[in-house]
Amino acid sequence: MTSTGATPSSDTRTATDDEIAAVEEQLRLLFVRVRAVWKEAAAAVHPDLQPVGYKILSAVVHRGRMHAGAIAEALVIDKSVVSRQIKQLEALGLARSVADPDDRRARFIEATPAAIGIIGRKGSRMQRQLYARLRTWPGADVDELARLLGRLTAEVVVVPGADAAEAGAPDATVR
């Protein structure tokens, strides 16, 4: 993309298909690399852990105990996949199911101390690299990147079942 000398706030032209295709290609590359990092992170926790299981375990470690339905909703994963992965996490000694004190019929999934230790120690290589790289950027650039990614997520990545007004709002808070 060539510079026209205009500042971003005064540039009122719409993006060209070539510019949008360039963004699409960068997103594709990012997603490919993220999937590879999830696979690597899962294997570092346990050789039998699948990437989706790693994502579930990581969510439970970082957010605390959760119901299976809340995990499925938060990660936009089918409940049956969450169920199978939770069984595997339990078999690997990385998670356990505990009764919900408010509703004895419901179960919470929580990470075991071993899983918390592993996830905490290892962290994500991608997360470490992200922080290291973005710490070298000007703060305004990081703020702008977060704002633009939030806008793109809100306008393009519509989660099934999300409130239509919230999903389409450019200033919607990304969760």
Side-chain angles (χ1 to χ4, degrees), residues 52-137:
V52 69
Y54 174 81
K55 289 189 277 187
I56 291 168
L57 182 62
S58 184
V60 173
V61 166
H62 294 293
R63 298 176 187 194
R65 63 171 61 173
M66 299 173 73
H67 291 111
I71 295 169
E73 186 178 314
L75 299 178
V76 191
I77 300 173
D78 188 83
K79 288 180 185 179
S80 65
V81 172
V82 171
S83 231
R84 284 191 301 273
Q85 290 301 312
I86 288 170
K87 286 178 185 170
Q88 184 189 32
L89 289 169
E90 289 176 319
L92 297 175
L94 299 169
R96 63 178 161 241
S97 174
V98 295
D100 181 337
D102 297 328
D103 179 358
R104 302 300 284 180
R105 298 167 297 163
R107 310 288 293 171
F108 277 116
I109 307 309
E110 66 180 22
T112 62
I116 293 168
I118 291 169
I119 297 288
R121 270 194 322 274
K122 298 209 179 273
S124 160
R125 180 175 60 90
M126 183 178 67
Q127 183 182 32
R128 288 190 304 273
Q129 287 177 338
L130 177 69
Y131 275 69
R133 296 290 182 214
L134 291 183
R135 281 189 188 110
T136 68
W137 288 22

Side-chain angles (χ1 to χ4, degrees), residues 8 138-150:
D141 287 357
V142 175
D143 284 344
E144 182 70 355
L145 177 62
R147 185 188 70 75
L148 291 171
L149 287 172

